[in-house]
PDB file of all heavy atoms in Angstrom:
ATOM      1  N   VAL B  56     -12.900 -33.253   6.939  1.00 94.00           N
ATOM      2  CA  VAL B  56     -14.190 -32.960   7.546  1.00 94.00           C
ATOM      3  C   VAL B  56     -14.015 -32.490   8.966  1.00 94.00           C
ATOM      4  O   VAL B  56     -13.141 -32.966   9.682  1.00 94.00           O
ATOM      5  CB  VAL B  56     -15.070 -34.228   7.566  1.00 94.00           C
ATOM      6  CG1 VAL B  56     -16.502 -33.854   7.875  1.00 94.00           C
ATOM      7  CG2 VAL B  56     -14.962 -34.962   6.263  1.00 94.00           C
ATOM      8  N   GLY B  57     -14.862 -31.584   9.383  1.00 89.00           N
ATOM      9  CA  GLY B  57     -14.833 -31.158  10.776  1.00 89.00           C
ATOM     10  C   GLY B  57     -15.697 -29.956  10.941  1.00 89.00           C
ATOM     11  O   GLY B  57     -16.123 -29.345   9.964  1.00 89.00           O
ATOM     12  N   GLU B  58     -16.006 -29.617  12.221  1.00 86.00           N
ATOM     13  CA  GLU B  58     -16.844 -28.435  12.408  1.00 86.00           C
ATOM     14  C   GLU B  58     -15.965 -27.184  12.428  1.00 86.00           C
ATOM     15  O   GLU B  58     -14.733 -27.281  12.321  1.00 86.00           O
ATOM     16  CB  GLU B  58     -17.666 -28.558  13.695  1.00 86.00           C
ATOM     17  CG  GLU B  58     -16.860 -28.856  14.944  1.00 86.00           C
ATOM     18  CD  GLU B  58     -17.706 -29.470  16.058  1.00 86.00           C
ATOM     19  OE1 GLU B  58     -18.539 -28.759  16.585  1.00 86.00           O
ATOM     20  OE2 GLU B  58     -17.517 -30.688  16.353  1.00 86.00           O
ATOM     21  N   SER B  59     -16.603 -26.018  12.565  1.00 84.00           N
ATOM     22  CA  SER B  59     -15.853 -24.778  12.562  1.00 84.00           C
ATOM     23  C   SER B  59     -14.813 -24.791  13.668  1.00 84.00           C
ATOM     24  O   SER B  59     -15.089 -25.244  14.771  1.00 84.00           O
ATOM     25  CB  SER B  59     -16.796 -23.597  12.824  1.00 84.00           C
ATOM     26  OG  SER B  59     -17.851 -23.635  11.897  1.00 84.00           O
ATOM     27  N   GLY B  60     -13.639 -24.327  13.367  1.00 83.00           N
ATOM     28  CA  GLY B  60     -12.599 -24.281  14.378  1.00 83.00           C
ATOM     29  C   GLY B  60     -11.829 -25.562  14.557  1.00 83.00           C
ATOM     30  O   GLY B  60     -11.000 -25.691  15.453  1.00 83.00           O
ATOM     31  N   SER B  61     -12.108 -26.560  13.715  1.00 89.00           N
ATOM     32  CA  SER B  61     -11.418 -27.842  13.891  1.00 89.00           C
ATOM     33  C   SER B  61     -10.022 -27.815  13.258  1.00 89.00           C
ATOM     34  O   SER B  61      -9.254 -28.721  13.454  1.00 89.00           O
ATOM     35  CB  SER B  61     -12.246 -28.965  13.251  1.00 89.00           C
ATOM     36  OG  SER B  61     -12.377 -28.724  11.881  1.00 89.00           O
ATOM     37  N   GLY B  62      -9.724 -26.776  12.528  1.00 90.00           N
ATOM     38  CA  GLY B  62      -8.377 -26.646  11.962  1.00 90.00           C
ATOM     39  C   GLY B  62      -8.295 -27.052  10.509  1.00 90.00           C
ATOM     40  O   GLY B  62      -7.244 -27.017   9.920  1.00 90.00           O
ATOM     41  N   LYS B  63      -9.432 -27.402   9.901  1.00 92.00           N
ATOM     42  CA  LYS B  63      -9.390 -27.919   8.531  1.00 92.00           C
ATOM     43  C   LYS B  63      -9.010 -26.829   7.530  1.00 92.00           C
ATOM     44  O   LYS B  63      -8.172 -27.056   6.663  1.00 92.00           O
ATOM     45  CB  LYS B  63     -10.702 -28.591   8.150  1.00 92.00           C
ATOM     46  CG  LYS B  63     -11.946 -27.725   8.325  1.00 92.00           C
ATOM     47  CD  LYS B  63     -13.200 -28.587   8.244  1.00 92.00           C
ATOM     48  CE  LYS B  63     -14.450 -27.738   8.055  1.00 92.00           C
ATOM     49  NZ  LYS B  63     -14.688 -26.681   9.029  1.00 92.00           N
ATOM     50  N   SER B  64      -9.601 -25.643   7.682  1.00 91.00           N
ATOM     51  CA  SER B  64      -9.272 -24.554   6.755  1.00 91.00           C
ATOM     52  C   SER B  64      -7.837 -24.060   6.948  1.00 91.00           C
ATOM     53  O   SER B  64      -7.129 -23.753   6.010  1.00 91.00           O
ATOM     54  CB  SER B  64     -10.213 -23.381   6.936  1.00 91.00           C
ATOM     55  OG  SER B  64     -11.473 -23.689   6.456  1.00 91.00           O
ATOM     56  N   VAL B  65      -7.410 -23.987   8.231  1.00 93.00           N
ATOM     57  CA  VAL B  65      -6.048 -23.548   8.506  1.00 93.00           C
ATOM     58  C   VAL B  65      -5.048 -24.491   7.893  1.00 93.00           C
ATOM     59  O   VAL B  65      -4.047 -24.089   7.302  1.00 93.00           O
ATOM     60  CB  VAL B  65      -5.836 -23.421  10.041  1.00 93.00           C
ATOM     61  CG1 VAL B  65      -4.372 -23.151  10.351  1.00 93.00           C
ATOM     62  CG2 VAL B  65      -6.694 -22.338  10.628  1.00 93.00           C
ATOM     63  N   THR B  66      -5.324 -25.817   7.950  1.00 94.00           N
ATOM     64  CA  THR B  66      -4.463 -26.779   7.312  1.00 94.00           C
ATOM     65  C   THR B  66      -4.342 -26.490   5.826  1.00 94.00           C
ATOM     66  O   THR B  66      -3.241 -26.444   5.267  1.00 94.00           O
ATOM     67  CB  THR B  66      -5.020 -28.217   7.506  1.00 94.00           C
ATOM     68  OG1 THR B  66      -5.170 -28.435   8.898  1.00 94.00           O
ATOM     69  CG2 THR B  66      -4.092 -29.259   6.907  1.00 94.00           C
ATOM     70  N   ALA B  67      -5.500 -26.235   5.198  1.00 94.00           N
ATOM     71  CA  ALA B  67      -5.505 -25.988   3.762  1.00 94.00           C
ATOM     72  C   ALA B  67      -4.746 -24.704   3.432  1.00 94.00           C
ATOM     73  O   ALA B  67      -3.920 -24.678   2.504  1.00 94.00           O
ATOM     74  CB  ALA B  67      -6.940 -25.913   3.255  1.00 94.00           C
ATOM     75  N   LEU B  68      -4.986 -23.647   4.172  1.00 93.00           N
ATOM     76  CA  LEU B  68      -4.361 -22.364   3.882  1.00 93.00           C
ATOM     77  C   LEU B  68      -2.861 -22.450   4.107  1.00 93.00           C
ATOM     78  O   LEU B  68      -2.080 -21.792   3.372  1.00 93.00           O
ATOM     79  CB  LEU B  68      -4.951 -21.258   4.771  1.00 93.00           C
ATOM     80  CG  LEU B  68      -6.400 -20.849   4.474  1.00 93.00           C
ATOM     81  CD1 LEU B  68      -6.940 -19.946   5.577  1.00 93.00           C
ATOM     82  CD2 LEU B  68      -6.467 -20.121   3.112  1.00 93.00           C
TER      83      LEU B  68
END
Side-chain angles (χ1 to χ4, degrees):
Chain B
V56 193
E58 55 201 290
S59 307
S61 61
K63 55 194 195 305
S64 288
V65 173
T66 304
L68 290 170

